[in-house]
């Protein structure tokens, strides 16, 4: 069952760690490289042409000293210089083309991957989101993927190209003087070993960095979103402390990688420098002993430079690629999460439903066996209003979450028109569902866009109708831009009551068959309250409604009231019946007097109990 909260998976990464690092890297990389293999191969060829042109210079150096200068053949000087100029031009052109071809394709891939990741995350179950920090998720979708640039962009091609150039230069060195080459070979092997060791060490630190970064940005985003609470509790300094600790954790991590990569660079320079010194000594002796010409020596020294450049590049590329792999692994982890609609049982498409909702002996637990709802039976015929009341933590929100199929019960079933919700295609069900929550959660944009969020295909007339029916027009028409007024993040520029009305209009535009309503607890002024009640009445008309009720008027008008306690229905019936029974409901009614929003001026009948007066 995809939407039931999965028990925390045992961490399987540990035993895996040891050997298949390389295979994991290849498994992650191949799907990225495969569709681009022609481009990458072409670019590799280009790179080799460029690097081949680079070999012209040492060859020309040898030719210059031994043939042109040594034998006084001035006529060869100009062609030699022209040849070298051509080679330099080819190198430049190749470098330019590589950036054009590879970097652009890599950036495109980053965009595609981000889109894929965002889509995937959107398909994950609510239970999964409950365990995440949204800021951390943002960082995963936006930053972790950045490193791919190095894998499929210039980085990878440079890595392969540099390795090939290094091999070519090494061959050239052997050919020019095997004695000299063998004397520096040991240093090169030592350098290779050092590189491997360094990458292995640095990679986990990079992975850790991404984790820390996403935690820190997650916490930062929370603090920013909750700025009113932060300021209200004068917690700015505490927030700063939390952030400072996070920023310093990132710094510590970066410091470690910087130490490692600086050490690597130092080792590279030392090894290459030592190789240069050896070459000077052995080469100088060889020239003196007549085993080498000065042209050979010049060519050798230049080729050694050709070998050094890619080797040093391998060192810095290595850290970048390590970073990229770490990001790719994290992205892969996210992509492996099973989407809530991936369950093959969820195959049944619902056409427009009547809206008969039933709970049949439903038990549900967020965590193993800690039942939040127990053996719950409930029948909500199409078009009726079911009000849920009960103390905090009784399971009211959980019950409506099951109606929305945000979660699936472990026992029993929830059906709509007789079809088990565990077997329906989620999209086809949720398209018929409207949700109006306490925290109306509007998006930054215009009022019109927020209403149309319920049904993007709605015509301007339909939006206007919804806005009128939900009494949005009353306040919107007083604004200079009317429905086209921008309302700020989460609708901060509207009052609480106005936000609720926009949320109701949004649900009206969606025209759902089944409605989930979590009434706001806040007391509004009488006029606003009565407008909202009227809007809600319009919204509920003809739809099966589940309402977590805080308004006495809603509770009174409900076709049935369920009194929940500890996940069980302890009483059910209509308002008058329940009051007459003098049971839990009557008790709650008495006690909740202040909490239940009493009757507003527009309500038709006065409260039956003095305890319910506003
Ligand atoms: P309230 O009126 O305060 O909103 P409620 O009746 O809606 O309460 P629920 O939110 O359904 O109650 O919670 C019922 C129980 O389930 C509570 O004990 C709560 O701690 C637990 N619970 C709710 N959501 C989760 C979750 N995502 N993971 C684990 N436990 C949860």
């Amino acid at each position: 069952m995809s939407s039931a909260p999965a028990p925390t998976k045992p961490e399987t990464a540990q035993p895996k760690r040891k050997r298949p690092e390389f295979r994991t890297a290849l498994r992650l990389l191949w799907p990225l490289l495969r569709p681009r293999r022609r481009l990458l191969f072409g670019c590799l060829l280009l790179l080799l042409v460029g690097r081949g042109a680079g070999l012209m210079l040492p060859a020309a150096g040898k030719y210059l000293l031994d043939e042109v200068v040594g034998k006084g053949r001035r006529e060869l000087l100009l062609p030699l210089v022209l040849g070298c100029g051509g080679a330099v031009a080819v190198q430049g052109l190749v470098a330019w083309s590589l950036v054009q071809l590879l970097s652009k394709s890599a950036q495109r891939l980053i965009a595609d991957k981000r889109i894929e990741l965002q889509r995937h995350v959107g398909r994950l179950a609510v239970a999964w989101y409950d365990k995440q920090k949204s800021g951390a998720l943002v960082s995963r979708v936006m930053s972790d993927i950045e490193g791919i640039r190095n894998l499929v962009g210039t980085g990878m091609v440079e890595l392969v190209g540099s390795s090939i150039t290094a091999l070519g230069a090494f061959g050239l060195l052997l050919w020019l003087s095997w004695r000299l080459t063998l004397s520096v070979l040991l240093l090169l092997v030592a350098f290779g070993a050092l590189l491997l060791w360094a990458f292995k060490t640095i990679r986990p630190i990079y992975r850790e960095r991404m984790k820390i970064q996403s935690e820190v940005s997650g916490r930062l985003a929370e603090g920013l979103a909750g700025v009113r609470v932060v300021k209200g509790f004068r917690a700015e300094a505490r927030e700063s402390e939390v952030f400072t600790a996070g920023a310093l954790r990132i710094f510590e991590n970066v410091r470690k990688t910087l130490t490692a990569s600086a050490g690597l660079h130092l080792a590279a320079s030392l090894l290459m420098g030592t190789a240069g010194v050896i070459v000077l000594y052995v080469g100088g002796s060889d020239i003196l002993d007549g085993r080498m010409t000065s042209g050979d020596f010049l060519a050798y020294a230049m080729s050694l430079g050709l070998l050094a450049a890619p080797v040093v590049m391998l060192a810095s590329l290595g850290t970048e690629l390590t970073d990229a792999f770490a990001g790719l692994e994290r992205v892969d982890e996210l992509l492996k999460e099973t989407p809530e609609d991936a369950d093959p049982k969820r195959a049944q498409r619902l056409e427009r439903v009547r809206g008969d909702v039933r709970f049949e002996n439903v038990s549900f637990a967020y965590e193993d066996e800690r039942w939040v709802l127990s053996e719950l039976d409930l029948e909500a015929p199409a078009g009726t209003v079911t009000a849920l009341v009960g103390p905090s933590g009784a399971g009211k929100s959980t019950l409506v979450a099951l109606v929305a199929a945000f979660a699936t019960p472990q026992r029993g079933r929830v059906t709509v028109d007789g079809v088990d919700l565990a077997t329906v295609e989620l999209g086809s069900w949720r398209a018929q569902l409207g949700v109006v929550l306490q925290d109306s959660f509007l998006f930054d944009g215009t009022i019109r866009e927020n209403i149309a969020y319920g049904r993007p295909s709605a015509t301007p007339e339909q939006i206007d109708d919804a806005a009128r029916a939900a009494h949005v027009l009353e306040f919107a028409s007083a604004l200079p831009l009317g429905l086209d007024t921008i309302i700020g993040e989460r609708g901060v520029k509207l009052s609480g009551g106005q936000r609720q009305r926009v949320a109701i209009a949004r649900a009206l535009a969606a025209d759902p068959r089944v409605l989930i309503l979590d009434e706001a607890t806040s007391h509004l002024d009488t006029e606003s309250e009565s407008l909202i009640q009227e809007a809600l009445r319009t919204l509920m008309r003809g739809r099966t409604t589940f309402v977590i009720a805080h308004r006495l008027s809603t509770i009174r008008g409900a076709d049935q009231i369920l009194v929940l306690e500890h996940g069980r229905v302890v009483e059910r019936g209509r308002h008058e019946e329940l009051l007459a029974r003098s049971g839990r409901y009557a008790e709650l009614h008495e006690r909740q007097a202040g909490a239940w929003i009493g009757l507003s001026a527009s309500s038709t009948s006065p409260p039956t109990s003095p305890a319910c007066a506003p």
Side-chain angles (χ1 to χ4, degrees):
M1 266 171 247
S2 54
S3 26
T8 0
K9 270 189 256 165
E11 195 51 74
T12 47
Q14 292 305 342
K16 261 207 236 155
R17 270 222 162 264
K18 223 171 153 30
R19 210 166 55 92
E21 284 272 301
F22 178 69
R23 250 190 276 157
T24 314
L26 211 60
R27 179 181 63 76
L28 295 176
L29 196 55
W30 185 234
L32 299 180
L33 297 185
R34 215 180 106 84
R36 288 167 183 76
R37 57 191 186 282
R38 284 208 186 88
L39 173 74
L40 289 170
F41 187 69
C43 287
L44 188 60
L45 287 184
L46 259 181
L47 189 85
L48 291 180
V49 169
R51 294 287 157 90
L55 288 179
M56 266 291 284
L57 285 181
K62 173 177 160 57
Y63 201 70
L64 180 77
L65 281 194
D66 290 351
E67 295 297 318
V68 183
V69 179
K71 296 181 184 163
R73 299 176 65 185
R74 177 176 283 276
E75 77 281 5
L76 291 180
L77 187 59
L78 190 62
L80 187 69
V81 170
L82 287 179
C84 285
V88 170
V90 168
Q91 270 185 300
L93 207 64
V94 164
W96 182 83
S97 319
L98 282 179
V99 173
Q100 288 294 312
L101 292 169
L102 285 177
S103 301
K104 285 183 183 167
S105 116
Q107 289 300 339
R108 175 70 218 208
L109 179 68
I110 290 176
D112 290 347
K113 270 275 156 193
R114 271 195 189 127
I115 295 167
E116 180 190 351
L117 204 55
Q118 191 275 344
R119 244 180 230 157
H120 182 80
V121 168
R123 290 177 60 205
L124 299 177
V126 172
W128 180 84
Y129 282 88
D130 287 347
K131 292 186 215 129
Q132 313 293 324
K133 286 188 177 168
S134 47
L137 278 179
V138 169
S139 142
R140 274 193 161 187
V141 175
M142 297 308 291
S143 323
D144 285 8
I145 223 119
E146 274 287 325
I148 293 183
R149 187 185 64 235
N150 290 319
L151 288 178
V152 292
T154 41
M156 201 46 135
V157 169
E158 289 276 3
L159 182 77
V160 178
S162 296
S163 311
I164 294 177
T165 318
L167 274 179
F170 187 66
L172 194 65
L173 289 178
L174 270 180
W175 176 70
L176 284 169
S177 166
W178 61 266
R179 269 168 51 81
L180 256 181
T181 310
L182 288 187
S183 52
V184 293
L185 185 63
L186 203 64
L187 291 175
L188 291 174
V189 172
F191 185 68
L194 187 73
L195 272 187
L196 286 181
W197 172 82
F199 297 153
K200 244 184 133 123
T201 317
I202 295 176
R203 188 154 157 206
I205 309 180
Y206 267 110
R207 254 186 86 76
E208 178 70 16
R209 178 186 309 172
M210 289 182 176
K211 203 166 138 257
I212 302 173
Q213 252 163 357
S214 69
E215 279 171 20
V216 173
S217 36
R219 185 64 180 77
L220 178 67
E222 262 178 13
L224 295 176
V227 64
R228 286 176 175 74
V229 179
V230 172
K231 288 194 180 289
F233 286 96
R234 296 189 10 96
E236 294 93 332
R238 267 174 285 154
E239 284 299 307
S240 288
E241 269 169 36
V242 172
F243 184 74
T244 307
L248 290 179
R249 271 175 77 202
I250 298 178
F251 165 71
E252 264 313 306
N253 179 289
V254 176
R255 204 177 56 81
K256 272 192 227 160
T257 45
L258 281 180
T259 311
S261 61
L264 199 60
H265 272 102
L266 176 70
S269 313
L270 280 180
L271 285 172
M272 293 322 286
T274 315
V277 171
I278 293 175
V279 165
L280 270 185
Y281 177 73
V282 180
S285 321
D286 279 359
I287 295 176
L288 288 176
D289 296 343
R291 279 194 293 267
M292 216 181 188
T293 67
S294 352
D296 282 340
F297 184 75
L298 180 68
Y300 194 92
M302 288 172 101
S303 305
L304 196 62
L306 278 187
L307 179 64
V311 164
V312 173
M313 177 163 245
L314 284 182
S316 59
L317 266 181
T319 24
E320 277 176 29
L321 293 186
T322 304
D323 183 5
F325 271 121
L328 205 55
E329 271 182 326
R330 279 171 57 85
V331 167
D332 185 58
E333 266 171 28
L334 201 53
L335 287 174
K336 274 194 195 143
E337 291 288 341
T338 319
E340 58 176 344
D341 52 1
D343 191 338
K345 273 196 299 200
R346 291 205 170 278
Q348 185 152 358
R349 258 198 81 74
L350 284 178
E351 297 308 327
R352 193 161 171 82
V353 295
R354 251 191 347 272
D356 288 319
V357 178
R358 281 171 67 111
F359 277 54
E360 296 170 8
N361 200 23
V362 165
S363 296
F364 175 79
Y366 288 100
E367 285 146 29
D368 311 310
E369 302 284 315
R370 290 184 51 205
W371 301 108
V372 171
L373 294 178
S374 306
E375 297 161 6
L376 198 133
D377 284 301
L378 148 68
E379 203 159 325
T384 59
V385 175
T386 302
L388 305 170
V389 298
S392 178
K396 305 179 292 288
S397 308
T398 307
L399 192 152
V400 295
L402 294 189
V403 174
F406 288 154
T408 312
Q410 284 86 353
R411 296 189 191 150
R413 52 184 214 147
V414 182
T415 65
V416 59
D417 293 357
V419 181
D420 186 351
L421 279 183
T423 65
V424 306
E425 198 196 84
L426 284 168
S428 70
W429 168 227
R430 298 217 181 116
Q432 310 197 44
L433 205 67
V435 182
V436 181
L437 299 177
Q438 276 203 28
D439 170 9
S440 319
F441 205 99
L442 304 179
F443 291 95
D444 190 9
T446 63
I447 298 177
R448 187 185 300 282
E449 283 163 356
N450 269 284
I451 298 178
Y453 197 80
R455 195 206 293 181
S457 61
T459 61
E461 292 74 37
Q462 284 169 328
I463 302 280
D464 283 347
D465 288 347
R468 191 171 305 108
H471 298 289
V472 169
L473 283 187
E474 261 95 338
F475 68 87
S477 51
L479 300 168
L481 293 176
L483 288 182
D484 295 312
T485 306
I486 294 192
I487 58 172
E489 198 176 51
R490 286 181 156 238
V492 283
K493 294 184 190 161
L494 299 182
S495 75
Q498 290 169 341
R499 277 203 292 273
Q500 283 175 31
R501 284 188 261 165
V502 176
I504 294 170
R506 176 170 63 186
L508 268 171
D511 188 22
R513 292 302 308 131
V514 176
L515 191 66
I516 289 173
L517 219 62
D518 191 354
E519 283 184 335
T521 43
S522 54
H523 290 257
L524 297 165
D525 69 76
T526 331
E527 192 192 338
S528 190
E529 182 61 42
S530 71
L531 288 178
I532 288 177
Q533 284 187 26
E534 211 178 298
L536 284 174
R537 266 197 296 276
T538 313
L539 178 61
M540 289 193 275
R541 201 168 297 139
R543 312 180 205 275
T544 315
T545 304
F546 290 86
V547 50
I548 299 178
H550 297 290
R551 289 190 175 88
L552 192 57
S553 56
T554 314
I555 299 173
R556 288 170 151 215
D559 297 288
Q560 62 173 336
I561 301 164
L562 299 192
V563 184
L564 282 179
E565 257 175 30
H566 304 299
R568 290 177 188 275
V569 179
V570 289
E571 267 181 0
R572 68 178 90 203
R574 291 186 65 101
H575 176 70
E576 291 76 15
E577 289 165 26
L578 291 178
L579 273 188
R581 212 178 284 169
S582 303
R584 289 297 290 140
Y585 178 78
E587 223 176 277
L588 210 59
H589 186 253
E590 195 81 16
R591 263 200 287 136
Q592 292 278 38
W596 280 345
I597 298 174
L599 294 181
S600 68
S602 74
S603 298
T604 45
S605 48
T608 47
S609 153
C612 295

